[in-house]
């Protein structure tokens, strides 16, 4: 049995359980996944300060986890700590932002991001740029209101993100849309069934990326 570690850079154990459930559904036989939450910090990362503070906590999570894991998934949009974990480990590492953006951009597609966190818009654009996707990135569309309150209401969250997805397609010409956030994982799964344009759920995208790295995709 090969063990995968999912690190949730947010401190919510309930969110971690949701993420693990989504990831586990994507794994073939012979794999199991364990989740760990950040030991400190917010229940949901919503700004640049919180994103930067999450990076060392992610590396601490990895170092504390032990050496028996075949791979690791970093499950916050922005991939905090991914460089540090890659430097510290000898196993494949997938980040949900990196994996979902690369999948969305495959085949030369233009892609947008629909999310709830306006204060992370610059960081998200910077991540696309770092991946060499500037020319394909069509931009970000945002929901209104407090992101943490919206994320706590699954039905309202899905409907608000559906509007943002439609704006990415209709206003920005996106040929694929990434749902930008680990805590948005369940809404992302639901939205993928509602549009003819591909809607990329980031946690499954990271699992697929990790399996490819492990030669099991």
């Amino acid at each position: 049995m090969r063990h995968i570690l999912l690190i949730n850079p947010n401190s919510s154990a309930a969110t971690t359980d949701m993420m693990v459930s989504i990831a586990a559904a994507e794994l073939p036989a012979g794999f199991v996944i364990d989740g760990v939450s950040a030991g400190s910090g917010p229940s949901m990362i919503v700004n640049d300060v919180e994103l930067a503070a999450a990076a060392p906590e992610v590396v601490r999570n990895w170092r504390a986890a032990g050496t028996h894991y075949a791979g690791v998934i970093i499950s916050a949009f922005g991939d905090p700590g991914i460089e540090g974990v890659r430097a510290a480990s000898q196993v494949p590492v997938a980040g949900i932002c990196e994996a979902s953006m690369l999948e969305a951009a495959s085949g030369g597609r233009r892609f947008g991001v629909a999310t709830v966190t306006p204060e992370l818009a610059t960081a998200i654009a910077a991540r696309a740029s770092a991946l060499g996707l500037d020319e394909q990135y069509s931009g970000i569309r945002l929901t209104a209101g407090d992101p943490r309150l919206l994320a706590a209401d699954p039905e309202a969250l899905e409907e608000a993100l559906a509007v943002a997805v439609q704006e990415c397609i209709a206003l920005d010409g996106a040929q694929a849309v990434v749902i930008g956030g680990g805590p948005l994982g369940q809404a992302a799964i639901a939205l993928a069934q509602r549009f003819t344009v591909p809607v990329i759920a980031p946690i499954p995208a990271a699992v697929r990326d990790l399996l490819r790295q492990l030669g099991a995709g």
Side-chain angles (χ1 to χ4, degrees):
M1 195 68 67
R2 304 174 81 179
H3 289 256
I4 304 300
L5 178 67
L6 182 147
I7 301 174
N8 175 17
N10 309 282
S11 62
S12 168
T15 300
T16 303
D17 290 344
M18 175 268 289
M19 293 172 172
V20 166
S21 178
I22 291 172
E26 300 291 322
L27 288 172
F31 286 87
V32 294
I33 186 160
D34 301 321
V36 60
S37 310
S40 61
S43 60
M44 180 178 173
I45 295 167
V46 300
N47 59 50
D48 290 337
V49 172
E50 293 169 353
L51 185 65
E57 180 67 15
V58 166
V59 176
R60 282 193 293 271
N61 282 149
W62 166 249
R63 292 188 184 278
T67 59
H68 62 290
Y69 288 102
V72 58
I73 294 169
I74 297 173
S75 196
F77 217 66
D79 302 331
I82 192 168
E83 295 86 359
V85 175
R86 282 175 170 158
S89 71
Q90 301 296 316
V91 300
V93 181
I96 66 168
C97 183
E98 177 181 274
S100 58
M101 284 187 170
L102 290 173
E103 184 171 310
S106 64
R109 292 185 299 205
R110 284 177 55 77
F111 72 95
V113 172
T115 191
V116 301
T117 47
E119 293 182 64
L120 289 174
T122 299
I124 290 168
R127 196 78 183 106
S129 182
L131 294 169
L133 301 175
D134 276 326
E135 293 187 2
Q136 290 170 253
Y137 181 53
S138 64
I140 191 167
R141 291 287 169 174
L142 296 153
T143 57
D146 183 284
R148 292 188 180 110
L149 291 177
L150 185 59
D153 185 339
E155 289 185 7
L157 174 63
E158 183 181 332
E159 292 311 314
L161 283 170
V163 172
V165 170
Q166 184 59 40
E167 289 175 344
C168 286
I169 297 165
L171 302 180
D172 303 327
Q175 297 166 304
V177 181
V178 174
I179 303 301
L184 314 181
Q186 288 178 319
I189 298 293
L191 288 165
Q193 308 304 313
R194 292 178 57 171
F195 291 87
T196 55
V197 166
V199 175
I200 310 300
I203 296 169
V207 174
R208 290 189 288 269
D209 179 37
L210 190 65
L211 290 173
R212 282 192 293 270
Q213 292 186 60
L214 290 167

